[in-house]
Amino acid sequence: MGTEHSKNKRQRSMVFLRKSPKLPAWEDALLSGKEPKSLLKRGLRYVSLSLIMKGMTSTPDFLWGLPEVQKLNLSGNQLVGIPPSLAKLDRLVVLNLDGNCLKCLPKEIGLLRSLKVLFVNMNCLTEVPAELSLCRKLEVLSLSHNCISQLPLSFTDLTSLRKLNLSNNHFVQIPLCVFALRSLDFLHLGSNRLENIAESVQYLVNLQIFILENNSIRSLPRSLCFITTLELLNVDYNAIQTLPDDLYLLRRLPRIAWNPMDKGLHIAHNPLSRPLPEVIEGGLDVLFNYLREKKEHN
């Protein structure tokens, strides 16, 4: 009887073990007595640490004892906050916080003076700390799918910023500080609440890709036509009725584009006044000739 009872107990224990969820890699490493540094990967250029989709609701304390980390990926967790201890990772070049539950970023993020790339897409941010503007080496900033409606004016100091993604937020106008970012070559403001584009857009003299799809923009400013570096202009799904006569100055736009990935002018799903819909069907050259002649006759 006792032998059979012990056997059943062992079987139940084995079933329990089989059903137990697998430990996240970092917990497994620590519980087996390994050093946290064993989680680091040393590549040709950067020392990286990836803790993707580990089910974390808070950052593990051992993280702040790894100052050599240069690329840190914490995406796909349930993090609700990042502690001030983040400042200890002052060699960070790339930080990925995508797909968490962050409502804010710590002001200490401004102490990451080597930071070049920051991803905080798909979170719950309502604002961005002004201290981020102290990261003067920042080149890529992606804040899509949040609840942000404005940016700090201090962002004018991000003079190295080349790519800025603010799509799927709550912007009703393009933040003034954006027009001071002269190094920008990529700007995504799709799926916001924009109704117009300020004439100051002309100061983005290096812009190559400008995405404004799915807003409520009623017209394009003439000053937009002076950004002659543009290779992709996407204003699909807006409320545009007319086009500026000087649009033909955007000679680097190669075509009327229909595929979202193609360079060119994306102008579909707008209530364009006649004869623009028919003219556009003829292609970009036909459209530009029409606008040029229209300007000459005015």
Side-chain angles (χ1 to χ4, degrees), residues 3 24 102 127:
T3 305
L102 301 174
E127 60 182 10

Side-chain angles (χ1 to χ4, degrees), residues 64-77:
W64 318 123
L66 301 172
E68 62 267 58
V69 175
Q70 295 168 290
K71 292 179 69 174
L72 176 61
N73 193 337
L74 298 174
S75 64
N77 286 287

